[in-house]
Amino acid sequence: MLWSLFAVALAAEVMADPLDEAEARFRALNSYQVTVQSTAADGERQVIHYFYRKPGWVRMEFVQPHAGLVLIYDPAVRKVRLWPFGLNHRPTLTFAPDNPLVRSRSGQRIDRSDVGALLANLLQLRARGRMTPLGDTELAAQSAAGFDILGDAGNAVAGVHRYRVWLAHDTRFPLKVESFDAAGDLIETVDMRDVEIDVRFSERFFAP
């Protein structure tokens, strides 16, 4: 009897859907921080220290380019505050999250930049296509499983027709994402390093 229960539990673990599990893990966490390194198809590179706390607070500290620039999104008022030269320097500017001045080169909004939004896109594209395992690898000294998610003909999510994503084995947190357009051309590669989950931020961290 004990062996049967163990076998059932083991089978359930093996059969657990990785994207569904990743989305469930995200729902369960309260906060995270990560260093995001993104590289566009033309080689333009960004390095950002990214901080997130539910229900949607985001703080982005730019390392490259625009070193020192800080963005903070307040979900209560749905506004983005921007410090071009760092938190201790004026001026401080305020924008709506859909303002082109605070959107990424690819058009991504800060209020839709968290891992939860990424996982929602992955699940949505898979629902309109298929997912294929890429096998296991190691990224930033972490064991990860890769998956190829390809939309059916004519289907794309946020302009992406294909994702290649690698999820950490232990946390199911995304460690690397490649996005492609309908022509099969690479849009962007994003690497996520130094991931910390359920970080205890100070009271003033998102409201300096």
Side-chain angles (χ1 to χ4, degrees), residues 12-188:
E13 182 176 350
V14 171
M15 295 174 63
D17 181 274
L19 284 188
D20 288 341
E21 186 180 353
E23 199 270 339
R25 296 282 189 99
F26 176 79
R27 289 200 311 269
L29 64 76
N30 293 311
S31 63
Y32 70 87
Q33 66 183 44
V34 61
T35 298
V36 179
Q37 301 181 31
S38 62
T39 306
D42 63 2
E44 181 176 322
R45 189 166 177 261
Q46 280 191 336
V47 180
I48 300 170
H49 295 313
Y50 185 99
F51 310 87
Y52 174 87
R53 185 178 70 194
K54 290 181 177 177
W57 289 93
V58 175
R59 173 166 165 165
M60 301 170 67
E61 300 177 355
F62 281 70
V63 178
Q64 178 185 342
H66 317 303
L69 183 149
V70 176
L71 294 173
I72 294 181
Y73 174 67
D74 181 343
V77 297
R78 298 183 181 180
K79 295 293 182 181
V80 182
R81 296 175 67 194
L82 183 153
W83 291 261
F85 308 108
L87 291 178
N88 298 320
H89 300 85
R90 295 184 179 183
T92 302
L93 308 173
T94 302
F95 299 93
D98 60 352
N99 190 301
L101 292 176
V102 290
R103 297 179 73 161
S104 72
R105 180 179 172 185
S106 61
Q108 186 181 51
R109 296 166 48 144
I110 189 173
D111 57 339
R112 298 174 186 170
S113 62
D114 60 89
V115 163
L118 167 64
L119 293 172
N121 287 349
L122 297 176
L123 288 164
Q124 186 178 350
L125 188 62
R126 187 184 64 175
R128 302 176 183 177
R130 62 184 184 275
M131 183 171 78
T132 305
L134 294 172
D136 295 341
T137 189
E138 188 171 289
L139 297 170
Q142 286 187 268
S143 177
F147 302 92
D148 183 281
I149 303 169
L150 178 65
D152 292 333
N155 283 318
V157 175
V160 179
H161 179 63
R162 182 178 200 166
Y163 283 105
R164 288 161 60 94
V165 60
W166 286 263
L167 305 174
H169 274 299
D170 56 352
T171 63
R172 289 303 188 191
F173 197 94
L175 299 180
K176 182 175 181 177
V177 184
E178 296 174 345
S179 54
F180 301 83
D181 62 21
D185 295 326
L186 178 68
I187 299 172
E188 185 180 44

